[in-house]
Amino acid sequence: MPSGKGSKLLRYIEHRLRVSLADGRVIIGTFLAFDKHLNLVLVDAEEFRTLKNKKGGAAAARAAIIEERQEKRSLGLIILRGENVVSVAVEGPPPPSAAGARVNAGGPGMARGAGRGVVVPPPNNVGGPPPGVPMGGAPIGLGAAPVHGVGGMGMPPPPMGGVPPPGMMGRGMPPPGMGRGGGY
């Protein structure tokens, strides 16, 4: 296992972190991601700032009475620039529901092709093709698949040997040995 800052931070993904910033703010949130610059992505983040106010008049100024209060602000999803991060501390473990959510469980489903061409109705479809699809064709607007000999540049099909006739190199055909492998 590599021993770098990245590998050490990886073990704290989805943990609650307390991040102290250079300007004195403290951000607490769930750690989602980081990068090579140590920029941090936190979700459900809250910002805590400590504000200091001098209280009273001239007499209190001599006594230097300072009142501190803490402001809390909800931020949500944030990206902290790594340059501003002073310290990172773990506040708490990941929530118990996050452990199961990390692995996507497979569910029931059916794979279907999503290409162009002839639509093959499912075996239980007795009535014919789906609505909007003509009998045995592609959906309206897609048109039919290309037909050999119709349109194009009028080039003859390649010979069975795989070598094009003289003078045909560089006109839409790959060089010998660079084709699709089947000798055509």
Side-chain angles (χ1 to χ4, degrees), residues 16 27-34 40-47 73-80:
R16 292 288 289 175
I27 309 286
I28 297 177
T30 303
F31 182 40
L32 287 187
F34 65 97
L40 305 178
V41 179
L42 301 177
V43 71
D44 299 329
E46 296 173 327
E47 172 192 61
R73 191 166 61 152
S74 225
L75 300 176
L77 177 68
I78 61 168
I79 299 175
L80 293 174

Side-chain angles (χ1 to χ4, degrees), residues 119-137:
V119 177
V120 179
N124 61 356
N125 188 358
V126 182
V133 177
M135 284 301 257

Side-chain angles (χ1 to χ4, degrees), residues 27-119:
I27 309 286
I28 297 177
T30 303
F31 182 40
L32 287 187
F34 65 97
D35 63 5
K36 66 181 181 179
H37 305 290
L38 297 182
N39 296 324
L40 305 178
V41 179
L42 301 177
V43 71
D44 299 329
E46 296 173 327
E47 172 192 61
F48 295 90
R49 292 188 325 167
T50 303
L51 301 173
K52 298 177 181 179
N53 292 334
K54 290 185 179 177
K55 196 169 190 175
R62 279 184 248 123
I65 300 173
I66 297 175
E67 177 186 329
E68 287 187 3
R69 67 184 174 103
Q70 200 169 41
E71 277 189 2
K72 175 184 170 184
R73 191 166 61 152
S74 225
L75 300 176
L77 177 68
I78 61 168
I79 299 175
L80 293 174
R81 186 174 171 92
E83 185 178 293
N84 299 325
V85 174
V86 173
S87 69
V88 177
V90 178
E91 274 287 300
S97 61
R102 201 179 258 188
V103 177
N104 294 336
M110 187 169 86
R112 294 189 183 145
R116 231 178 110 144
V118 178
V119 177

